[in-house]
CSV table of all heavy atoms in Angstrom, one decimal:
chain,number,residue,atom,x,y,z
A,1,SER,N,-140.7,-97.5,-136.0
A,1,SER,CA,-140.7,-97.4,-134.5
A,1,SER,C,-140.0,-96.2,-134.0
A,1,SER,O,-140.5,-95.5,-133.0
A,1,SER,CB,-140.1,-98.7,-133.9
A,1,SER,OG,-138.7,-98.8,-134.2
A,2,ILE,N,-138.9,-95.8,-134.6
A,2,ILE,CA,-138.2,-94.6,-134.2
A,2,ILE,C,-139.1,-93.3,-134.4
A,2,ILE,O,-139.2,-92.5,-133.5
A,2,ILE,CB,-136.9,-94.4,-134.9
A,2,ILE,CG1,-135.9,-95.6,-134.5
A,2,ILE,CG2,-136.2,-93.1,-134.7
A,2,ILE,CD1,-134.6,-95.6,-135.3
A,3,ILE,N,-139.7,-93.3,-135.6
A,3,ILE,CA,-140.6,-92.1,-135.9
A,3,ILE,C,-141.8,-92.1,-134.9
A,3,ILE,O,-142.2,-91.0,-134.4
A,3,ILE,CB,-141.1,-92.2,-137.4
A,3,ILE,CG1,-139.9,-92.1,-138.3
A,3,ILE,CG2,-142.1,-91.1,-137.6
A,3,ILE,CD1,-140.2,-92.3,-139.8
A,4,ALA,N,-142.3,-93.3,-134.6
A,4,ALA,CA,-143.5,-93.3,-133.7
A,4,ALA,C,-143.1,-92.9,-132.3
A,4,ALA,O,-143.8,-92.2,-131.6
A,4,ALA,CB,-144.1,-94.7,-133.7
A,5,ALA,N,-141.9,-93.3,-131.9
A,5,ALA,CA,-141.4,-92.9,-130.5
A,5,ALA,C,-141.2,-91.4,-130.5
A,5,ALA,O,-141.6,-90.8,-129.5
A,5,ALA,CB,-140.1,-93.6,-130.2
A,6,ILE,N,-140.7,-90.8,-131.5
A,6,ILE,CA,-140.5,-89.4,-131.5
A,6,ILE,C,-141.8,-88.6,-131.5
A,6,ILE,O,-142.0,-87.6,-130.8
A,6,ILE,CB,-139.6,-89.0,-132.7
A,6,ILE,CG1,-138.2,-89.5,-132.6
A,6,ILE,CG2,-139.6,-87.4,-132.9
A,6,ILE,CD1,-137.4,-89.3,-133.8
A,7,ALA,N,-142.8,-89.2,-132.3
A,7,ALA,CA,-144.1,-88.5,-132.4
A,7,ALA,C,-144.8,-88.6,-131.1
A,7,ALA,O,-145.6,-87.7,-130.7
A,7,ALA,CB,-144.9,-89.1,-133.5
A,8,LEU,N,-144.7,-89.7,-130.3
A,8,LEU,CA,-145.4,-89.9,-129.1
A,8,LEU,C,-144.8,-89.1,-128.0
A,8,LEU,O,-145.5,-88.6,-127.1
A,8,LEU,CB,-145.4,-91.4,-128.7
A,8,LEU,CG,-146.3,-92.3,-129.5
A,8,LEU,CD1,-146.0,-93.8,-129.1
A,8,LEU,CD2,-147.7,-91.9,-129.4
A,9,THR,N,-143.5,-88.9,-128.0
A,9,THR,CA,-142.8,-88.1,-126.9
A,9,THR,C,-142.8,-86.6,-127.2
A,9,THR,O,-142.5,-85.9,-126.2
A,9,THR,CB,-141.4,-88.7,-126.7
A,9,THR,OG1,-140.7,-88.6,-127.9
A,9,THR,CG2,-141.4,-90.1,-126.2
A,10,MET,N,-143.0,-86.2,-128.4
A,10,MET,CA,-142.9,-84.8,-128.7
A,10,MET,C,-144.2,-84.1,-128.2
A,10,MET,O,-145.3,-84.4,-128.6
A,10,MET,CB,-142.7,-84.5,-130.2
A,10,MET,CG,-142.4,-83.1,-130.6
A,10,MET,SD,-142.0,-82.9,-132.3
A,10,MET,CE,-143.5,-83.6,-133.1
A,11,ARG,N,-144.0,-83.1,-127.4
A,11,ARG,CA,-145.2,-82.3,-126.9
A,11,ARG,C,-145.0,-80.8,-127.3
A,11,ARG,O,-143.9,-80.2,-127.2
A,11,ARG,CB,-145.3,-82.4,-125.4
A,11,ARG,CG,-145.5,-83.8,-124.9
A,11,ARG,CD,-146.9,-84.2,-125.2
A,11,ARG,NE,-147.2,-85.5,-124.6
A,11,ARG,CZ,-147.0,-86.7,-125.2
A,11,ARG,NH1,-146.5,-86.7,-126.4
A,11,ARG,NH2,-147.4,-87.8,-124.6
A,12,LYS,N,-146.1,-80.2,-127.8
A,12,LYS,CA,-146.0,-78.8,-128.1
A,12,LYS,C,-146.3,-77.9,-126.9
A,12,LYS,O,-147.2,-78.1,-126.1
A,12,LYS,CB,-147.1,-78.5,-129.2
A,12,LYS,CG,-146.8,-79.1,-130.5
A,12,LYS,CD,-147.9,-78.7,-131.6
A,12,LYS,CE,-147.6,-79.3,-132.9
A,12,LYS,NZ,-148.6,-79.0,-133.9
A,13,ARG,N,-145.4,-77.0,-126.7
A,13,ARG,CA,-145.5,-76.1,-125.6
A,13,ARG,C,-145.8,-74.7,-126.1
A,13,ARG,O,-145.3,-74.2,-127.1
A,13,ARG,CB,-144.2,-76.1,-124.8
A,13,ARG,CG,-143.9,-77.5,-124.2
A,13,ARG,CD,-142.5,-77.4,-123.5
A,13,ARG,NE,-142.3,-76.4,-122.6
A,13,ARG,CZ,-141.2,-76.1,-121.9
A,13,ARG,NH1,-140.1,-76.8,-122.2
A,13,ARG,NH2,-141.1,-75.1,-121.1
A,14,LYS,N,-146.6,-74.0,-125.3
A,14,LYS,CA,-147.0,-72.7,-125.7
A,14,LYS,C,-145.9,-71.7,-125.5
A,14,LYS,O,-145.8,-70.7,-126.2
A,14,LYS,CB,-148.2,-72.2,-124.9
A,14,LYS,CG,-149.5,-73.1,-125.1
A,14,LYS,CD,-150.6,-72.6,-124.3
A,14,LYS,CE,-151.9,-73.4,-124.5
A,14,LYS,NZ,-153.0,-72.9,-123.7
A,15,ASP,N,-145.0,-71.9,-124.6
A,15,ASP,CA,-143.9,-71.0,-124.3
A,15,ASP,C,-142.7,-71.2,-125.2
A,15,ASP,O,-141.7,-70.6,-125.0
A,15,ASP,CB,-143.5,-71.0,-122.8
A,15,ASP,CG,-143.1,-72.4,-122.4
A,15,ASP,OD1,-143.4,-73.3,-123.1
A,15,ASP,OD2,-142.6,-72.5,-121.3
A,16,THR,N,-142.8,-72.2,-126.1
A,16,THR,CA,-141.6,-72.5,-127.0
A,16,THR,C,-141.7,-71.6,-128.2
A,16,THR,O,-142.7,-71.5,-128.9
A,16,THR,CB,-141.7,-73.9,-127.4
A,16,THR,OG1,-141.6,-74.8,-126.2
A,16,THR,CG2,-140.5,-74.3,-128.2
A,17,LYS,N,-140.6,-70.9,-128.5
A,17,LYS,CA,-140.5,-70.1,-129.7
A,17,LYS,C,-140.3,-70.9,-130.9
A,17,LYS,O,-139.4,-71.8,-130.9
A,17,LYS,CB,-139.4,-69.1,-129.5
A,17,LYS,CG,-139.6,-68.1,-128.4
A,17,LYS,CD,-138.5,-67.0,-128.3
A,17,LYS,CE,-138.7,-66.0,-127.2
A,17,LYS,NZ,-137.6,-65.0,-127.2
A,18,TYR,N,-141.1,-70.6,-131.9
A,18,TYR,CA,-141.0,-71.4,-133.2
A,18,TYR,C,-140.5,-70.4,-134.3
A,18,TYR,O,-141.0,-69.3,-134.4
A,18,TYR,CB,-142.3,-72.0,-133.5
A,18,TYR,CG,-142.3,-72.7,-134.9
A,18,TYR,CD1,-141.7,-73.9,-135.0
A,18,TYR,CD2,-142.9,-72.1,-136.0
A,18,TYR,CE1,-141.6,-74.6,-136.2
A,18,TYR,CE2,-142.9,-72.8,-137.2
A,18,TYR,CZ,-142.2,-74.0,-137.3
A,18,TYR,OH,-142.2,-74.6,-138.5
A,19,LEU,N,-139.5,-70.8,-135.0
A,19,LEU,CA,-139.0,-70.0,-136.1
A,19,LEU,C,-139.3,-70.7,-137.4
A,19,LEU,O,-139.2,-71.9,-137.6
A,19,LEU,CB,-137.5,-69.9,-136.0
A,19,LEU,CG,-136.9,-69.3,-134.7
A,19,LEU,CD1,-135.4,-69.3,-134.7
A,19,LEU,CD2,-137.4,-67.8,-134.6
A,20,ASP,N,-139.8,-69.9,-138.3
A,20,ASP,CA,-140.2,-70.3,-139.7
A,20,ASP,C,-139.0,-70.1,-140.6
A,20,ASP,O,-138.6,-69.0,-140.9
A,20,ASP,CB,-141.4,-69.6,-140.2
A,20,ASP,CG,-141.9,-70.2,-141.5
A,20,ASP,OD1,-141.3,-71.2,-142.0
A,20,ASP,OD2,-143.0,-69.7,-142.0
A,21,PRO,N,-138.3,-71.2,-141.1
A,21,PRO,CA,-137.2,-71.0,-141.9
A,21,PRO,C,-137.5,-70.2,-143.2
A,21,PRO,O,-136.6,-69.5,-143.7
A,21,PRO,CB,-136.7,-72.4,-142.2
A,21,PRO,CG,-137.3,-73.2,-141.1
A,21,PRO,CD,-138.6,-72.6,-140.8
A,22,ALA,N,-138.7,-70.4,-143.8
A,22,ALA,CA,-139.0,-69.7,-145.0
A,22,ALA,C,-139.1,-68.2,-144.8
A,22,ALA,O,-138.6,-67.4,-145.6
A,22,ALA,CB,-140.4,-70.2,-145.5
A,23,LYS,N,-139.6,-67.7,-143.7
A,23,LYS,CA,-139.6,-66.3,-143.4
A,23,LYS,C,-138.2,-65.8,-143.1
A,23,LYS,O,-137.9,-64.6,-143.4
A,23,LYS,CB,-140.5,-66.0,-142.2
A,23,LYS,CG,-142.0,-66.3,-142.4
A,23,LYS,CD,-142.8,-65.9,-141.2
A,23,LYS,CE,-144.3,-66.2,-141.5
A,23,LYS,NZ,-145.1,-65.8,-140.3
A,24,GLN,N,-137.4,-66.6,-142.5
A,24,GLN,CA,-136.0,-66.1,-142.2
A,24,GLN,C,-135.2,-66.0,-143.5
A,24,GLN,O,-134.4,-65.1,-143.6
A,24,GLN,CB,-135.3,-67.2,-141.3
A,24,GLN,CG,-135.8,-67.1,-139.9
A,24,GLN,CD,-135.0,-68.1,-139.0
A,24,GLN,OE1,-134.7,-69.2,-139.4
A,24,GLN,NE2,-134.7,-67.6,-137.8
A,25,VAL,N,-135.4,-66.9,-144.5
A,25,VAL,CA,-134.7,-66.8,-145.7
A,25,VAL,C,-135.2,-65.6,-146.6
A,25,VAL,O,-134.4,-64.9,-147.2
A,25,VAL,CB,-134.8,-68.1,-146.5
A,25,VAL,CG1,-134.2,-68.0,-147.9
A,25,VAL,CG2,-134.1,-69.2,-145.7
A,26,SER,N,-136.5,-65.3,-146.6
A,26,SER,CA,-137.0,-64.3,-147.4
A,26,SER,C,-137.0,-62.9,-146.8
A,26,SER,O,-137.5,-61.9,-147.4
A,26,SER,CB,-138.5,-64.6,-147.7
A,26,SER,OG,-139.3,-64.7,-146.5
A,27,VAL,N,-136.3,-62.7,-145.6
A,27,VAL,CA,-136.3,-61.4,-145.0
A,27,VAL,C,-135.3,-60.5,-145.8
A,27,VAL,O,-134.4,-60.9,-146.4
A,27,VAL,CB,-135.9,-61.6,-143.5
A,27,VAL,CG1,-134.4,-61.9,-143.4
A,27,VAL,CG2,-136.2,-60.3,-142.7
A,28,ARG,N,-135.6,-59.2,-145.7
A,28,ARG,CA,-134.8,-58.2,-146.4
A,28,ARG,C,-134.1,-57.4,-145.4
A,28,ARG,O,-134.5,-57.3,-144.2
A,28,ARG,CB,-135.6,-57.3,-147.3
A,28,ARG,CG,-136.3,-58.1,-148.4
A,28,ARG,CD,-137.1,-57.1,-149.3
A,28,ARG,NE,-138.1,-56.4,-148.5
A,28,ARG,CZ,-138.8,-55.3,-148.9
A,28,ARG,NH1,-138.7,-54.9,-150.1
A,28,ARG,NH2,-139.7,-54.7,-148.1
């Protein structure tokens, strides 16, 4: 129920910046 509540209330926004941890770790 907790996971379902989080999934139902989470909305993707176009103006939100998303960071990829894999790219951050592999940067030189």
Side-chain angles (χ1 to χ4, degrees):
S1 64
I2 293 172
I3 296 173
I6 294 173
L8 290 174
T9 56
M10 187 175 59
R11 297 289 185 269
K12 293 184 178 180
R13 296 174 54 184
K14 296 181 179 179
D15 56 347
T16 302
K17 294 183 178 179
Y18 176 75
L19 299 177
D20 190 358
K23 292 182 179 180
Q24 288 183 319
V25 173
S26 62
V27 72
R28 298 181 303 171

